[in-house]
Amino acid sequence: MAEKPWDGRFEEKTDAAVEAFTSSIDIDRQLYAYDIDGSIAHCRMLARASIITEAESNALIDGLEKIRVEITTGNFVFSDRLEDMHMHIEDRLAAHVGVVSRKLHTARSRNDQVALDVRLYLRDKTRKIIQGLVGLRKILVDMADRHMDVVMPGYTHLQRAQPVLFSHHLMAYYEMFLRDTQRFTDGMKRINFMPLGAAALAGTTYPIDRIYTAELLDFPEVCENSMDAVSDRDFIMEFLADASICMVHFSRFSEELVLWSSSEFKFIELSDGFSTGSSIMPQKKNPDVPELVRGKTGRVFGSLISLLTLMKSLPLAYNRDMQEDKAPLFDAVDTLSACLDIYTRMLPKIKINGKQMAEALSTGYINATDMADYLVCRGMPFREAHGCVGRAVSYGLSHRKELHEMTLDELRSFSDLIEDDIFPALTTRKMIDRRQSFGGTATDNVRAAVRRAADRMADEMRSINIQ
Ligand code: ARG
């Protein structure tokens, strides 16, 4: 038997340095289970189309299942000599089933085989990521529900702006992760196309039945064009774009957790199990988990840029460059999955310091907009009210007084529309509960948003079978 399945035309042996350079087995061995699933479906289709016999197909399938066990149990030898996962499996098949192994690759090329394997891999991983996102959103909804009484400053420009419910802030992340879930779910439609049968690039002369292969592997669609089937990596770029956006959300959340757990904010405390210490400063309790999630975001962006750059000038159809798609994809999948997992564990253990958040509302003229609104309700045009309150703030700054700490006479010096009902109007609860516009932070609104989210989650959990 030849050294390599493709070396019939070669007179010299491949240089060992080239074997090492071109080998992808260290990376694509992760695809073994998908490669075997794809090959089994291919055998069944070949037998049904009478391209091989039923007995040959059964022997091949038997051998493939033996290889699955060998790899799963760590009893399989990998070597650079055999380049990639596909060649390893085919080579090993000969040891199990003899010469019939040489029929497995009929009507197939590694070009359509690898495209199939990556689609099977990404479909599996995307499903798990979607499940993870649903789980994470459930945690956010539960937290929002439990902490409905906690108020905090909402920020713009990282300056205290207006009071909001802590739950409202959490539900903003719920919305981001909901959109992520939707993006991954939508991307699945384009992952879920079956490329096998495109062969090297032009299709095959054998009477194959691609629809049957698709049915066996549970693909709702078959790739229409054989050249596109072997050279399309859009579904990977799309996944990486979705993963990058999702990581932006994780990174923003992480930034807030880092800020909130600092002595300057003290809004939250991460549990000891999710913090680390310093080897030199005994007092330190560091938020390494959110910091690392923030840091890992760059890796996922890097994967997206790698794929875009890899593909941008490739002529049709398959080019060996495309072997380089797997390392960034696998790294992004692993990174995003790890971030999802650690957040799901960390969030429920965070201690919320509601007292400190409420205290942060007592300074910073956070009720200035509400004082302007008060004047508007009494007939003053908004721009005038804005100027009037601005003068009150300036007075407050020079006399070291918040608006609600001024006497009625002081306040009336800015407008005689002000009566003593101004004081209850400027309390945090009133300010929050007055913001009843749809999507605003009023408690009734947030409660309703939490309820809607919980209902949606229950439906989603049922449809993807997780509790
Ligand atoms: N290891 C290759 C890859 O990942 C498989 C396809 C190889 N095809 C070829 N014509 N050399 O892309």
Side-chain angles (χ1 to χ4, degrees):
M1 201 192 275
E3 263 281 298
K4 296 200 162 49
W6 45 253
D7 68 2
R9 61 156 290 177
F10 290 83
E11 281 165 16
E12 280 175 39
K13 277 182 65 171
T14 320
D15 192 291
V18 172
E19 280 187 343
F21 186 75
T22 55
S23 167
S24 58
I25 188 61
D26 284 347
I27 306 234
D28 61 26
R29 61 205 279 176
Q30 285 194 49
L31 292 175
Y32 81 90
Y34 308 104
D35 198 73
I36 290 172
D37 290 343
S39 288
I40 291 175
H42 184 61
C43 287
R44 294 224 158 96
M45 184 281 292
L46 290 177
R48 193 163 123 137
S50 303
I51 299 167
I52 61 173
T53 67
E54 203 64 52
E56 286 169 336
S57 166
N58 290 339
L60 289 169
I61 293 170
D62 214 42
L64 287 164
E65 289 297 5
K66 284 190 181 129
I67 295 173
R68 191 198 299 274
V69 174
E70 286 173 348
I71 301 179
T72 312
T73 56
N75 292 306
F76 191 89
V77 183
F78 294 97
S79 122
D80 279 348
R81 186 180 61 82
L82 288 164
E83 259 181 59
D84 56 24
M85 198 64 238
H86 325 298
M87 279 168 59
H88 274 79
I89 291 176
E90 206 185 322
D91 183 78
R92 182 69 187 143
L93 201 51
H96 286 299
V97 304
V99 285
V100 68
S101 70
R102 299 175 65 77
K103 295 203 172 183
L104 173 67
H105 213 51
T106 316
R108 187 174 75 169
S109 150
R110 276 186 297 155
N111 299 351
D112 56 345
Q113 188 179 356
V114 74
L116 173 68
D117 291 4
V118 176
R119 284 178 188 271
L120 287 170
Y121 163 89
L122 198 50
R123 181 171 78 176
D124 196 17
K125 300 295 179 186
T126 303
R127 272 190 196 132
K128 293 197 174 110
I129 287 169
I130 291 171
Q131 285 181 359
L133 279 166
V134 174
L136 178 70
R137 281 164 41 217
K138 172 133 180 36
I139 289 170
L140 285 169
V141 171
D142 289 348
M143 279 174 87
D145 196 31
R146 251 182 305 121
H147 296 292
M148 204 59 85
D149 55 333
V150 177
V151 294
M152 68 181 289
Y155 293 81
T156 63
H157 313 267
L158 202 55
Q159 310 287 323
R160 287 174 199 165
Q162 292 176 357
V164 292
L165 286 188
F166 174 61
S167 304
H168 195 50
H169 197 122
L170 287 177
M171 288 302 285
Y173 283 102
Y174 169 88
E175 293 293 330
M176 292 177 237
F177 291 122
L178 168 61
R179 289 194 297 276
D180 290 325
T181 317
Q182 291 167 338
R183 261 186 289 273
F184 284 117
T185 307
D186 196 65
M188 195 72 128
K189 289 185 210 147
R190 285 164 294 280
I191 294 171
N192 232 345
F193 272 76
M194 207 291 294
L196 209 64
L201 78 164
T204 173
T205 53
Y206 298 93
I208 58 169
D209 181 351
R210 299 186 63 210
I211 296 184
Y212 182 60
T213 313
E215 267 168 33
L216 290 175
L217 293 168
D218 205 19
F219 278 101
E221 308 278 350
V222 172
C223 298
E224 283 268 343
N225 178 296
S226 63
M227 296 182 77
D228 181 50
V230 291
S231 61
D232 168 26
R233 297 293 183 272
D234 294 6
F235 65 98
I236 302 182
M237 294 183 252
E238 184 176 359
F239 171 86
L240 292 173
D242 297 346
S244 296
I245 297 172
C246 185
M247 286 303 296
V248 170
H249 298 150
F250 271 120
S251 191
R252 295 182 73 177
F253 203 172
S254 298
E255 171 73 12
E256 300 213 280
L257 297 183
V258 171
L259 278 174
W260 292 348
S261 58
S262 68
S263 322
E264 282 69 18
F265 277 79
K266 287 204 201 82
F267 283 5
I268 59 164
E269 196 182 327
L270 298 175
S271 69
D272 283 358
F274 283 80
S275 310
T276 51
S278 156
S279 53
I280 177 166
M281 297 166 281
Q283 86 283 11
K284 289 291 284 286
K285 179 168 161 185
N286 295 329
D288 292 31
V289 171
E291 285 176 295
L292 275 168
V293 170
R294 193 175 57 185
K296 283 172 191 288
T297 304
R299 285 172 61 163
V300 179
F301 293 1
S303 292
L304 171 62
I305 297 298
S306 292
L307 250 289
L308 293 170
T309 314
L310 173 67
M311 296 305 296
K312 72 173 266 296
S313 303
L314 291 187
L316 295 186
Y318 177 82
N319 300 271
R320 189 64 181 271
D321 314 43
M322 286 153 88
Q323 180 167 290
E324 291 295 315
D325 61 354
K326 283 172 246 6
L329 172 62
F330 294 174
D331 189 68
V333 165
D334 292 346
T335 304
L336 176 57
S337 306
C339 292
L340 257 168
D341 180 64
I342 202 77
Y343 250 74
T344 308
R345 292 167 195 273
M346 175 182 67
L347 283 183
K349 299 214 167 89
I350 290 179
K351 218 181 103 217
I352 310 301
N353 194 349
K355 221 173 126 238
Q356 186 74 23
M357 292 192 194
E359 255 166 49
L361 283 165
S362 60
T363 55
Y365 303 94
I366 207 146
N367 42 20
T369 318
D370 285 72
M371 182 164 153
D373 289 346
Y374 173 95
L375 292 170
V376 169
C377 285
R378 274 147 196 80
M380 190 183 284
F382 181 76
R383 275 289 157 242
E384 226 170 276
H386 186 286
C388 171
V389 178
R391 284 188 293 281
V393 168
S394 161
Y395 170 87
L397 283 168
S398 52
H399 291 76
R400 296 180 166 275
K401 276 184 180 180
E402 288 286 326
L403 295 171
H404 53 272
E405 289 167 351
M406 294 179 194
T407 63
L408 185 58
D409 284 344
E410 278 175 308
L411 288 171
R412 282 178 65 86
S413 71
F414 304 105
S415 166
D416 55 13
L417 292 172
I418 295 175
E419 309 283 346
D420 61 3
D421 61 351
I422 183 86
F423 296 107
L426 297 186
T427 60
T428 300
R429 270 288 154 187
K430 276 274 162 49
M431 291 192 281
I432 287 178
D433 287 338
R434 229 183 281 127
R435 286 174 164 72
Q436 281 170 3
S437 55
F438 183 77
T441 192
T443 311
D444 288 347
N445 275 2
V446 179
R447 261 190 224 292
V450 164
R451 223 174 307 118
R452 280 194 303 274
D455 288 348
R456 177 192 262 272
M457 307 280 332
D459 285 349
E460 273 176 286
M461 299 282 225
R462 261 193 302 280
S463 76
I464 57 172
N465 289 325
I466 51 170
Q467 277 322 306

